[in-house]
Amino acid sequence: MTYGYDGAEDAAQRKKKVAVIGVSSIILVAMVVAVAVGVNGDPNAGGSSAESSSANQISTSSKSIQAICQPTDYRQTCETSLTEAAGNTSDPHKLVQAGFQVAIDSLREAIKNSTTLREVAEDPMAKQALDNCEELMDDAIEDLKTSFKQVGDFDISKLDEYVANLKIWLSATITYQQTCLDGFDNTTGPAGQKMREILTLSSQLTSNGLAMVTGLSSILKDLSLAGLTGRRLLNDNGLPSWVTREKERILAETAATIKPDMTVAQDGSGQYKTINEAVKNIPKKRNTTFVLYIKAGIYKEQVTISRSMTHIMMIGDGPTKTKITGSLSYAGGVQTFKTSTVSVSGSHFIAKDIGFENTAGAIGHQAVALRVQSDMSIFYNCRMDGYQDTLYSHTYRQFYRDCTITGTIDFIFGDAAAVFQNCNLVVRRPLESQRCIITAQGRNNSRQATGFVIQNCTITAAPDYFPFRFRNAAYLGRPWRQYSRTIYMQSQIDDLIDPEGWMPWMGSFGLDTCSYSEYDNRGPGAVATKRVTWKGIKKVSPEEADGFTAAKFIDGDLWIPATGVPYTPGMIKL
């Protein structure tokens, strides 16, 4: 599908053509969404129309479907699902409605299947994995409902914003399905294979949807029509639409001056003595900031900020004074997904001056201190302490500023679009036979809008590891998934990093398809003359590196500055 202008057209013709493009774009988005959310057929879902127009509509739809499915990886699945979903309607809203409903019904059916599988599963870890799958599919259903609401209020002027959000959501959907399947690693019985079969079609459709959204984004970029697209995330004050003046004021304050909505204090000077007691009483789905002040103390709790708890700000008395700690671990019989001391799913979450810890130690293997699947979330002056899998940067857009993150193996992992700015990444001493790896980014599809950006950070050795740093080598990262993507730029890298820089995951897996880069780093560990020479090691130009800055990679200008958190949108002047 190609759009263009003839220089001989007069103003009226040009205006008419822009209108046609606008309508076509809406229909295109409708088709994209229908496939993206997993349409698998409902010929009666779209309503009916006159027979005389039906044939023409079917012919038009068929050609459009073939064109839109062209860039997908599973073209036959794409064409079949869209053809069945189109039915007798060309109304984009009805088409989208049918697609969302079929997808929701399909996910609910998968949940039923997982319940049945759990009843016959004998392996305790497989049963946990099935429980996790139910939670992850519930998250997917909620994403579909949220997306449907936005489609109902669709405005062509917000198309660019919508496409960007959809790419992030679809990336998360792919990750959620993979996370579900990850839980069956090293389990016995047929549950894992059965779940893989259940998710095959939805995985293909999600991949197709992401391919089409990516194609749509390219079309819009080529068009560059003023007034047709553009982000409208800012309100009249120049702030992100979700940021009120109240929030701007609150985020500029500290624990000493702020007036919180709720206070937790172990000495009884607040409304609650435990964080979980407070969390139970936090209002759901707010659009204004709710400030939870946690006074100094060590809180031995496992805390969950659910998806329904949005716009929450947690503020402590300092990352070493206010600490939330736990010790769940994979070695202790708990699935990695549920070992996290703190889990955050509600969007627009902010943590400031707090420590998150998992004390299971190196012997505990996978033991998460903090799991984050909160879109547009910020962690400022926080500390994440653990060993293996300390920070699970799971999904969506995340920003970390002036934080300290410690660990041994894959201690920053997941598949979020995350920028770490001015952070300290500290390698601790592992078990005797272990090597250390800082990142294990989990991008599973080349079109996912995800990756880790390590900018102006310091990569250094903890005191207990320093004497062993040459015996137990440390690496910048390894490809957990096939399209793993990480870039270190403008960072201080000490001599703990092995000269090869990057470590394989298993054999040759991901070495040709990953995307690992280093740009303008400094320090003895930044010397790249002996780096591995995999195909996936990318040398980036200044222009390409600029694409990984916070303003561009996570749209940071639209949601970070107004929070009052220190933030550099582009390259940092050193």
Side-chain angles (χ1 to χ4, degrees):
M1 195 177 295
T2 303
Y3 301 118
Y5 287 112
D6 183 344
E9 289 180 326
D10 61 23
Q13 290 175 314
R14 202 169 275 130
K15 258 175 132 180
K16 183 177 179 181
K17 196 158 191 177
V18 169
V20 170
I21 292 172
V23 173
S24 299
S25 296
I26 293 174
I27 294 172
L28 185 58
V29 170
M31 290 180 175
V32 167
V33 174
V35 173
V37 300
V39 177
N40 57 19
D42 183 358
N44 299 314
S48 62
S49 60
E51 289 185 11
S52 59
S53 62
S54 179
N56 290 334
Q57 177 184 320
I58 291 172
S59 177
T60 302
S61 296
S62 178
K63 291 178 181 178
S64 298
I65 288 169
Q66 290 177 10
I68 202 172
C69 290
Q70 184 67 30
T72 64
D73 296 323
Y74 305 97
R75 194 178 307 171
Q76 186 59 54
T77 300
C78 175
E79 292 182 5
T80 300
S81 60
L82 265 186
T83 300
E84 292 175 352
N88 296 321
T89 184
S90 60
D91 184 325
H93 286 87
K94 289 183 179 179
L95 182 61
V96 172
Q97 184 177 12
F100 274 103
Q101 192 57 56
V102 170
I104 290 171
D105 291 344
S106 178
L107 285 168
R108 285 175 177 158
E109 188 63 29
I111 290 174
K112 289 181 182 178
N113 288 334
S114 68
T115 301
T116 302
L117 288 173
R118 188 171 61 251
E119 291 173 354
V120 299
E122 296 181 358
D123 188 330
M125 294 296 272
K127 289 183 177 181
Q128 287 187 45
L130 288 164
D131 287 338
N132 293 341
C133 285
E134 288 190 23
E135 180 179 331
L136 290 159
M137 285 183 280
D138 278 334
D139 285 339
I141 288 173
E142 289 302 313
D143 271 347
L144 297 180
K145 290 179 179 177
T146 302
S147 301
F148 177 72
K149 183 178 178 181
Q150 286 210 0
V151 170
D153 301 327
F154 187 73
D155 181 346
I156 190 65
S157 67
K158 297 182 180 180
L159 187 56
D160 191 32
E161 171 189 339
Y162 182 79
V163 169
N165 286 336
L166 193 56
K167 287 173 72 173
I168 284 291
W169 296 334
L170 285 171
S171 295
T173 302
I174 290 172
T175 302
Y176 289 148
Q177 292 175 79
Q178 185 59 55
T179 302
C180 164
L181 298 176
D182 286 343
F184 297 99
D185 292 347
N186 303 317
T187 62
T188 59
Q193 181 57 36
K194 292 286 186 183
M195 184 55 68
R196 191 173 298 277
E197 293 169 3
I198 290 169
L199 293 178
T200 296
L201 181 59
S202 63
S203 296
Q204 290 182 357
L205 290 168
T206 306
S207 174
N208 285 347
L210 186 59
M212 288 183 289
V213 170
T214 303
L216 176 59
S217 180
S218 298
I219 291 172
L220 294 174
K221 187 176 180 180
D222 291 341
L223 283 174
S224 299
L225 294 176
L228 177 62
T229 64
R231 299 185 186 278
R232 295 292 183 86
L233 290 175
L234 302 186
N235 59 30
D236 293 338
N237 297 319
L239 303 176
S241 57
W242 58 274
V243 174
T244 62
R245 282 297 184 188
E246 176 194 14
K247 189 176 194 114
E248 183 185 25
R249 177 185 58 79
I250 287 172
L251 295 171
E253 297 194 51
T254 65
T257 61
I258 201 167
K259 184 178 180 181
D261 295 287
M262 195 178 286
T263 300
V264 178
Q266 292 176 331
D267 62 6
S269 61
Q271 291 100 319
Y272 303 98
K273 290 186 176 181
T274 70
I275 300 170
N276 277 313
E277 285 179 308
V279 168
K280 289 177 184 177
N281 292 282
I282 292 178
K284 305 295 191 295
K285 295 186 177 179
R286 292 170 57 98
N287 288 321
T288 56
T289 309
F290 187 92
V291 180
L292 177 61
Y293 171 36
I294 306 172
K295 289 190 175 182
I298 297 176
Y299 297 83
K300 296 181 179 180
E301 306 183 51
Q302 190 175 18
V303 177
T304 298
I305 304 299
S306 69
R307 191 183 186 91
S308 63
M309 298 178 188
T310 61
H311 302 88
I312 304 300
M313 178 181 178
M314 277 189 178
I315 185 169
D317 284 321
T320 60
K321 294 179 179 179
T322 297
K323 184 181 294 185
I324 310 171
T325 184
S327 59
L328 297 180
S329 70
Y330 189 85
V334 180
Q335 283 280 356
T336 304
F337 185 69
K338 284 300 179 70
T339 61
S340 50
T341 302
V342 176
S343 304
V344 181
S345 296
S347 62
H348 305 302
F349 177 85
I350 297 177
K352 184 179 180 182
D353 302 333
I354 293 182
F356 306 90
E357 182 181 52
N358 191 309
T359 61
I363 199 171
H365 297 290
Q366 297 96 321
V368 178
L370 174 66
R371 171 165 56 87
V372 184
Q373 53 187 74
S374 166
D375 196 16
M376 299 186 184
S377 53
I378 296 174
F379 294 82
Y380 172 48
N381 193 36
C382 290
R383 188 176 178 100
M384 300 84 176
D385 289 313
Y387 285 82
Q388 184 170 346
D389 292 0
T390 303
L391 173 60
Y392 195 170
S393 182
H394 194 194
T395 52
Y396 303 118
R397 290 162 285 201
Q398 305 175 14
F399 181 65
Y400 298 81
R401 173 77 185 210
D402 298 345
C403 293
T404 295
I405 308 164
T406 73
T408 54
I409 298 173
D410 307 334
F411 64 91
I412 301 174
F413 77 114
D415 192 25
V419 174
F420 300 83
Q421 203 171 83
N422 292 23
C423 293
N424 292 317
L425 311 185
V426 184
V427 179
R428 305 174 77 170
R429 184 183 179 184
L431 297 178
E432 187 64 28
S433 60
Q434 291 179 332
R435 288 179 286 181
C436 298
I437 308 99
I438 296 172
T439 66
Q441 205 282 329
R443 193 169 64 138
N444 203 41
N445 183 299
S446 63
R447 299 182 183 92
Q448 283 180 280
T450 57
F452 292 161
V453 178
I454 315 293
Q455 184 184 21
N456 198 36
C457 293
T458 297
I459 293 83
T460 191
D464 66 341
Y465 173 64
F466 187 82
F468 302 94
R469 68 192 187 284
F470 300 133
R471 187 169 73 186
N472 298 88
Y475 297 83
L476 298 173
R478 59 175 177 167
W480 182 30
R481 297 293 172 217
Q482 190 172 2
Y483 295 96
S484 177
R485 178 163 64 178
T486 299
I487 180 170
Y488 286 77
M489 59 188 196
Q490 300 188 291
S491 292
Q492 168 67 37
I493 304 177
D494 291 349
D495 66 358
L496 69 159
I497 297 300
D498 188 273
E500 291 193 341
W502 307 87
M503 177 181 170
W505 182 270
M506 184 179 296
S508 61
F509 174 80
L511 303 189
D512 289 345
T513 51
C514 66
S515 180
Y516 289 158
S517 302
E518 300 173 59
Y519 178 80
D520 197 24
N521 297 305
R522 57 194 182 275
V527 178
T529 53
K530 295 183 180 179
R531 290 294 194 251
V532 291
T533 56
W534 313 332
K535 188 176 178 180
I537 301 298
K538 310 293 185 184
K539 184 175 181 180
V540 296
S541 66
E543 293 75 21
E544 289 170 327
D546 187 64
F548 290 100
T549 56
K552 295 185 178 178
F553 191 64
I554 56 174
D555 297 318
D557 284 353
L558 303 176
W559 53 281
I560 300 174
T563 65
V565 171
Y567 161 74
T568 303
M571 289 295 174
I572 294 172
K573 294 181 180 180
L574 303 174

